[in-house]
Amino acid sequence: MPDARPRRRAPGARRAELLHLLEEHEGDGLAISELASATGLHPNTVRAHLEVLVREGRARHHTDPRPVPGRPRELYLSDGTAPGSRNYELLARLLAGELAALSPDPAASAVAAGRQWSEHHGSPSGPPPALDPSGARDSVADRRDELAPVLRMLRTTGFAPALSADGAAVELHHCPFRELAEEQPEIVCGAHLGLIQGTLARIGAGVTATAILPFVEPGLCLARLEAPAGEASDAAPHLSP
């Protein structure tokens, strides 16, 4: 006898449905109450899914500017309402493919490109926090303070970073180029490693990033940190299997 119980839809399918509704109303946007009514989901569930879509850069929200009485409505729109926003993935694929074709060592070239961009275009940063005369870093809190500019850079570029509990790695909980990273990790992860290395060098940190370990868990990559034996290397990232 067939199972008559309703099947629960996966979170990805629900977010895809919400995104489809937003795309259909891209000129005006939709409120949470309207999305809840259209999908049959609880407003709190809709809000949680929308927060993920916004964090992933697939949707955005704004306050309804119409001068109507009462509390202004918060409206959500698909990222397609921002002109040209959907072209970046295509551009990234084109550039990654060109780098793979032209460079004898695409991974090392990607690291070097990331370092160069960070060193020349990164936001100005003050010196790292003062340490005791021995230069020791005795706590994870010290390292977190020292790496604040790096974490800020990664946060603003969409990586949802956090320092690991032992301070030995930066956890990257979201990859802005996940699909491309799965296809060409040596180039995408290499560029991300270079960004981190360049920022660390620019702020004079006492550690460098030596490797990106992609997808050690679903939705989690690690940037491994070590005290450099000499100059920070431009070598290609070591990628875990």
Side-chain angles (χ1 to χ4, degrees), residues 69-94:
R71 184 177 179 181
R73 293 197 311 160
E74 290 293 321
L75 300 178
Y76 288 80
L77 304 95
S78 76
D79 67 348
T81 60
S85 62
R86 295 193 177 186
N87 295 329
Y88 290 112
E89 182 179 357
L90 174 59
L91 177 61
R93 290 180 182 276
L94 290 173

Side-chain angles (χ1 to χ4, degrees), residues 10-192:
R14 289 179 172 176
R15 288 196 282 273
E17 182 181 5
L18 291 170
L19 194 58
H20 178 69
L21 289 169
L22 294 178
E23 290 171 347
E24 288 184 335
H25 295 80
E26 61 179 356
D28 302 317
L30 292 171
I32 288 177
S33 60
E34 295 169 326
L35 289 165
S37 177
T39 59
L41 298 173
H42 191 278
N44 289 342
T45 302
V46 171
R47 180 178 291 104
H49 286 307
L50 289 172
E51 288 175 353
V52 174
L53 291 173
V54 170
R55 189 163 59 246
E56 292 178 347
R58 301 165 68 191
R60 60 190 180 92
H61 72 277
H62 76 98
T63 302
D64 188 351
R66 291 180 295 178
V68 295
R71 184 177 179 181
R73 293 197 311 160
E74 290 293 321
L75 300 178
Y76 288 80
L77 304 95
S78 76
D79 67 348
T81 60
S85 62
R86 295 193 177 186
N87 295 329
Y88 290 112
E89 182 179 357
L90 174 59
L91 177 61
R93 290 180 182 276
L94 290 173
L95 293 177
E98 192 71 5
L99 182 62
L102 296 178
S103 174
D105 190 344
S109 296
V111 174
R115 282 180 60 95
Q116 183 178 31
W117 189 95
S118 178
E119 291 170 353
H120 292 283
H121 300 283
S123 301
S125 301
L131 302 172
D132 63 62
S134 69
R137 292 166 175 80
D138 296 325
S139 70
V140 175
D142 289 337
R143 179 162 290 181
R144 184 176 292 108
D145 289 342
E146 180 185 28
L147 300 184
V150 179
L151 297 174
R152 184 166 55 249
M153 178 274 292
L154 292 170
R155 190 174 301 112
T156 58
T157 47
F159 287 93
L163 189 64
S164 64
D166 60 2
V170 174
E171 300 174 352
L172 306 173
H173 292 272
H174 176 257
C175 178
F177 295 95
R178 180 184 178 90
E179 291 79 8
L180 185 55
E182 291 173 340
E183 297 173 11
Q184 296 180 286
E186 70 284 353
I187 292 177
V188 178
C189 297
H192 296 163

Side-chain angles (χ1 to χ4, degrees), residues 225-236:
L225 303 173
E226 293 181 9
E231 292 293 323
S233 173
D234 283 347

